[in-house]
Amino acid sequence: MATATIPHLPVLVIHHVLQFLPTKLAIRMSSLCKQWEGLWSSVPVLDFDEEDEPDDRLQHAKFINFLDRCLAFPKKYEYLDKFRLRMTLFSDEDEKKVLECLRFAVESRVKELDISINNTYHCDWYCLSWRWNVLNAKPIVILNLKNVTISDSHQPISLPSLQTLSLRDVSLTAASLSALISGCPCIHYLSLLTSFFSFHYYNISLTTLLDAKSLTYLNIECGRFWADNNDVPISLPSLKTLILRIVTLHYYYPLSSLISGCPCIQYLRLTGYLQPYYELSIQTLLDAKSLTSLSLERVKILPGDDNNDRKAVGPLSLKTMSLKKVILDDMTFGRLTSGSPCLEHLSVSLISDHIHIPRSSIKSLQVANINSTTFRVSGAKNLESFTLISECSTQIESIRLDCCKNLKYLNIRAPDLQEFTLEFNGRKDRVKATLDIQTLDYPIINFLGKESPCHVNMFLH
């Protein structure tokens, strides 16, 4: 039987491969051949991931033993590029082990620190008391924390090299969060995420946030903005990505003010929760000239007054737009699409039974939440792909596509679609159509076309 052999590789290539593996796998890889033997210890990355069942104490004891042996192994590097720990706590001794790992990482001048704790022996999250000068570790560039509590500390925080801060399900006071952000003068990436049912909201000071002039990425889930100075204008000149999900805004600083204060924003994603929806002026969107991707869910777009309607509007840079459960009238929708000559991908929840696309740049269109017996698309001359999704029990009787000359793919998904009419006007070439119907027996499909016959390849699921 032939056996596979591992080709001889440069040591730098082997190091590059090993640094992307968890430490346990890197050690196993080092046993494959003599060239790889012992090289894991010279890779400046330690990645410990307890992947077994959280109630398996035997496997946990083995994990702790492996962790101790690795930390005691002689180092062949001056600093750590990355230290990652995914660990389950069963006792107070495990908490001491976490502190030991933090001390090891800081003393090794770690650049990327990633800590995630799963606490099983009491209901509270692991309290990170910031010993071993973690909050003053000058080499740290990336800090990721999950499922921990950050205790209040009156000591000054200084992370001068930190560029990325990511907190997921982290419990901390508004003062601690402000001190943490303020202590990172070079921060570019800030992500504050939490599970909706964890009942831990991030309280973010707008004054602190506005001082982060280098911030380019902001992602907040389940949070509240508060302002200690209502006279400060919003200005985040470097921000390019803004993602807000279930975030309560301060009444002195509405959503329009926040977006207007980000002149370089390129990606905007807003998700509200039930009532009230986020309210956003159409003029605010039309003024965001650098915006290339827009995703709105549970947002109300206000049409604006007559003066704004007559205001001259330059072209937007939008290429992708998604509107889900968005409240807006047909005229406001028309202004938004007509002001986006570069728009190529559009996904909407239905606002009426007829969508007119005044711009011919759109190549992909997806329409969801159909609650009408008929539906029509017109004006999309360059449309290549059209997807219709019906999530209700309403029987669709007619689908009409006018002037969609370049249509190539048609996909229809509905719970029940026994008989309906597909009408193509102005289409000459063949169309590949796919039907995904849950209660499909033998559908009756009527094809209608004007100007020229329409050929359809039909696939039924």
Side-chain angles (χ1 to χ4, degrees), residues 264-399:
C264 296
I265 190 168
Q266 297 178 0
Y267 180 90
L268 176 62
R269 182 178 180 181
L270 304 174
T271 304
Y273 175 71
L274 298 180
Q275 297 290 348
Y277 279 28
Y278 282 136
E279 289 189 353
L280 187 61
S281 168
I282 177 63
Q283 194 62 48
T284 301
L285 294 175
L286 295 176
D287 289 338
K289 304 303 180 186
S290 59
L291 195 64
T292 60
S293 180
L294 175 65
S295 177
L296 303 179
E297 182 175 355
R298 297 185 179 94
V299 175
K300 182 178 182 180
I301 301 180
L302 304 177
D305 53 31
D306 294 338
N307 292 331
N308 283 335
D309 288 342
R310 288 193 293 266
K311 181 178 178 180
V313 177
L316 294 177
S317 302
L318 268 181
K319 294 184 178 181
T320 301
M321 181 165 60
S322 174
L323 306 177
K324 185 177 181 181
K325 298 180 181 179
V326 172
I327 300 176
L328 77 167
D329 54 36
D330 291 347
M331 183 176 295
T332 303
F333 176 77
R335 289 189 63 196
L336 188 57
T337 54
S338 62
S340 307
C342 300
L343 187 63
E344 295 182 356
H345 307 285
L346 176 62
S347 175
V348 297
S349 296
L350 187 63
I351 56 177
S352 68
D353 57 1
H354 176 208
I355 290 185
H356 177 69
I357 309 297
R359 293 287 183 179
S360 61
S361 59
I362 294 181
K363 297 181 180 180
S364 173
L365 174 63
Q366 176 176 300
V367 180
N369 297 329
I370 301 300
N371 193 19
S372 175
T373 58
T374 61
F375 182 73
R376 178 188 172 199
V377 177
S378 62
K381 297 180 180 180
N382 290 326
L383 187 66
E384 297 179 359
S385 175
F386 173 63
T387 300
L388 184 66
I389 303 174
S390 176
E391 298 176 351
C392 60
S393 58
T394 302
Q395 170 67 38
I396 299 176
E397 298 177 358
S398 174
I399 300 173

Side-chain angles (χ1 to χ4, degrees), residues 150-152 157 165 167 170-184 190-192 201-205 208-209 220 223-224 226:
I150 298 180
S151 60
D152 289 330
I157 298 176
L165 176 62
L167 307 181
V170 173
S171 177
L172 75 170
T173 64
S176 295
L177 181 58
S178 295
L180 183 57
I181 298 175
S182 299
C184 308
L190 177 60
S191 178
L192 307 174
Y201 272 61
Y202 296 105
N203 290 288
I204 306 107
S205 167
T208 301
L209 192 62
I220 302 176
R224 300 185 183 96
W226 61 278

